[in-house]
Amino acid sequence: MESQSTIPLIIDGQDILSSLKERQGTVANQHPGGPGFYQGATRDLALQAVQSSAKAFPTWSKTTPIERRTLFFRLAQVLRDRADEIKSVCCQEIHCGPLWADIITNDSIGLIEEYAALITSVATGSIPYIQQGYGMVLKEPLGVVLGIAPWNAPIILGLRSVVAPIAAGNVAILKGSELSPQTHYLLASLFREAGFPPGVLNFLLHQPEDAPEIFDVLITHPAIKKCNFTGSTQVGRIIASQAAMALKPVLLELGGKNFTVVLDDADLDLAAREITKGAFLNNGQICMSTDMVLATTAVAPDLEARILAILREIETAPMVISPAAKAKLAMLVSDAQDKGARIHTPPKAIGNTPQSFPPTVVTGLTPAMKLYEIESFGPVVGIVSLETEEQIVSVIQQAKYGLSSSIISRNHYRALELAGSIKAGAVHINSMTVHDEPTLPHGGYGDSGWGRFGARWGLEEFVQTKVVTLHP
């Protein structure tokens, strides 16, 4: 794609561009020397992608675990070899810094290698006892899996949406984001470079206005057996409802209003560091970002002072992904200020673009403010001060979201006991809310979705169970 000005689709191993330039979208965050357009899918191209995948499935599903493992280890090496190129494109497309690009690339290599190692031992069957004869429980791949990936961690979330399904013997279609089209194209092309057969992974993009049509074409096609989606709760509801009408299961990782609980016995310097890291890494645009801090009145003033001391040393105002994202952040902050909150930003932070937004700490956050309920998905964190730990627990148990959380306490037993009352997919003790690894399951409770990505839990999402009994 080096000389192309338009990012293509990949169908049946081939780059696809419309000769009529039909449905070509404009790249939102163009960079010098980069493509200005991307090829959007039409109804016919979406059907071609499904048909290609369906054709590839019978052969791919019969490959041995060792054959698949070999290809995945090769994929990991290809990603290592092209890491600098992919990280550079990622930084330019989503305005992230080198640290975030490094994290999501290294974790992606780990994810691929973890699945490669698990292929021969996970998603296998069993032989349970039955009264007469022999019983066998077999695990089989589903068919074609649709993976819908977001822009905010495009390398790891793009790969996560398709690696587990393919490792389990399925074939997949990666539907990438129009906000990170080149990064997602490069990831899909790695499978081709690593030697995966045509059709095992196809790649689609579409313009935002075409999303309803293209998703309907895909989810209602009989060859598509499951969909996984990472993105907002609002869109997740639409995905789930349409998939339900087609009787297709879905795996959803959705929004999160992630909180850090700071107990009276906490190391407040540690708490301040972990809160600011969790709130401002990748400009606060991570599903696990710290949105809210819950602290007792006994420690809140000292904690706030330490957080604001860190805030004052920040010298740049990061860019968020779009003008719409900036407008949402400005609305949330303005609403909180109008209702009595205090707004703190770094005096040294300089933003030179229309999408710059300063790291922001909101103190005096109350339930009357929109920021209390709405996920900011940007570099904004609110601090709630409560009288007792019991009141903190009450707030926790009323939460609609449940993706990630953290507790800062010197008393590990106390923290573990509190972790049991938190309805979230992850609770990190003495660490920030942003934490995921290739060996761990990842997913949420409530409005944060259902199902689990990651390790053996992720493989088990993409197989079905069959019982075979053998009688004399």
Side-chain angles (χ1 to χ4, degrees):
M1 200 195 75
E2 291 82 0
S3 61
Q4 292 182 348
S5 61
T6 303
I7 301 163
L9 311 178
I10 300 177
I11 299 176
D12 211 39
Q14 302 297 313
D15 285 357
I16 302 296
L17 292 171
S18 169
S19 59
L20 302 176
K21 297 188 176 181
E22 184 181 7
R23 295 200 186 183
Q24 289 189 357
T26 301
V27 173
N29 296 309
Q30 296 181 31
H31 52 90
F37 304 93
Y38 63 87
Q39 178 62 57
T42 62
R43 185 181 191 86
D44 288 344
L45 288 173
L47 286 171
Q48 287 178 35
V50 180
Q51 291 161 1
S52 165
S53 295
K55 182 180 177 182
F57 174 67
T59 301
W60 178 253
S61 65
K62 300 302 181 184
T63 56
T64 67
I66 293 174
E67 289 173 313
R68 298 201 296 274
R69 181 180 65 186
T70 299
L71 282 171
F72 275 106
F73 277 129
R74 193 180 301 160
L75 178 67
Q77 187 56 51
V78 173
L79 177 54
R80 278 194 186 91
D81 294 341
R82 296 185 62 183
D84 288 344
E85 171 196 2
I86 292 172
K87 287 189 289 187
S88 175
V89 171
C90 175
C91 287
Q92 292 166 332
E93 283 196 313
I94 70 167
H95 314 307
C96 72
L99 174 61
W100 184 238
D102 282 338
I103 289 170
I104 60 177
T105 302
N106 293 335
D107 283 355
S108 294
I109 294 168
L111 176 143
I112 295 168
E113 292 182 334
E114 178 69 15
Y115 279 123
L118 288 170
I119 286 174
T120 56
S121 59
V122 176
T124 56
S126 60
I127 306 177
Y129 170 79
I130 62 173
Q131 293 183 11
Q132 293 183 3
Y134 296 91
M136 292 172 282
V137 178
L138 309 179
K139 300 290 187 178
E140 298 181 340
L142 302 169
V144 184
V145 174
L146 172 62
I148 305 176
W151 57 266
N152 60 307
I155 302 172
I156 190 164
L157 298 184
L159 288 168
R160 189 184 73 173
S161 70
V162 296
V163 167
I166 295 172
N170 303 282
V171 294
I173 296 172
L174 169 59
K175 193 161 81 71
S177 170
E178 76 281 359
L179 296 175
S180 57
Q182 189 177 7
T183 303
H184 281 155
Y185 166 82
L186 289 172
L187 296 179
S189 71
L190 297 182
F191 286 79
R192 184 168 55 188
E193 188 174 340
F196 285 77
V200 171
L201 178 66
N202 289 314
F203 171 64
L204 296 177
L205 294 163
H206 59 65
Q207 297 180 90
E209 60 268 27
D210 296 327
E213 177 192 19
I214 300 304
F215 181 69
D216 181 70
V217 168
L218 296 171
I219 202 64
T220 58
H221 195 287
I224 298 283
K225 301 301 184 183
K226 187 166 185 175
C227 169
N228 69 78
F229 170 77
T230 301
S232 71
T233 298
Q234 178 184 4
V235 176
R237 293 183 191 278
I238 298 170
I239 296 287
S241 61
Q242 290 189 241
M245 291 300 295
L247 290 180
K248 305 291 176 71
V250 293
L251 165 56
L252 301 172
E253 195 237 283
L254 307 177
K257 189 71 180 174
N258 311 300
F259 53 80
T260 292
V261 175
V262 182
L263 297 180
D264 292 354
D265 63 355
D267 178 335
L268 297 184
D269 286 325
L270 172 67
R273 289 195 303 271
E274 295 302 311
I275 288 165
T276 50
K277 282 194 300 182
F280 302 142
L281 181 62
N282 191 34
N283 312 332
Q285 298 171 128
I286 307 171
C287 59
M288 299 172 283
S289 291
T290 306
D291 251 33
M292 189 157 63
V293 178
L294 304 176
T296 63
T297 52
V299 298
D302 197 1
L303 174 65
E304 289 178 7
R306 294 169 196 239
I307 290 173
L308 296 180
I310 294 173
L311 185 71
R312 284 192 291 271
E313 297 305 311
I314 298 175
E315 297 184 353
T316 58
M319 290 177 64
V320 294
I321 190 65
S322 67
K326 179 177 179 177
K328 175 187 174 182
L329 293 169
M331 178 275 293
L332 292 173
V333 171
S334 176
D335 174 77
Q337 187 172 33
D338 290 345
K339 293 174 181 175
R342 295 173 298 282
I343 311 302
H344 309 269
T345 57
K348 303 177 185 178
I350 298 174
N352 299 319
T353 75
Q355 289 165 230
S356 296
F357 196 91
T360 302
V361 175
V362 178
T363 57
L365 185 66
T366 70
M369 301 166 188
K370 293 179 181 179
L371 181 61
Y372 188 91
E373 292 283 350
I374 298 174
E375 179 186 23
S376 65
F377 214 71
V380 177
V381 60
I383 301 177
V384 180
S385 179
L386 298 159
E387 291 290 337
T388 66
E389 186 176 325
E390 288 72 24
Q391 289 178 324
I392 290 177
V393 171
S394 177
V395 170
I396 289 170
Q397 293 180 339
Q398 293 172 24
K400 296 179 181 179
Y401 292 103
L403 187 60
S404 187
S405 60
S406 73
I407 302 168
I408 310 295
S409 173
R410 288 188 172 95
N411 187 328
H412 291 176
Y413 292 106
R414 183 185 181 194
L416 286 169
E417 184 176 358
L418 179 59
S421 68
I422 296 176
K423 296 179 175 64
V427 183
H428 306 292
I429 297 172
N430 291 330
S431 182
M432 63 178 169
T433 57
V434 181
H435 187 150
D436 189 24
E437 297 187 29
T439 55
L440 296 174
H442 183 76
Y445 288 27
D447 286 0
S448 292
W450 60 69
R452 292 296 180 267
F453 290 100
R456 65 179 179 85
W457 299 271
L459 277 180
E460 290 167 358
E461 288 280 351
F462 299 105
V463 293
Q464 54 193 347
T465 302
K466 175 186 286 185
V467 171
V468 176
T469 63
L470 174 64
H471 301 272

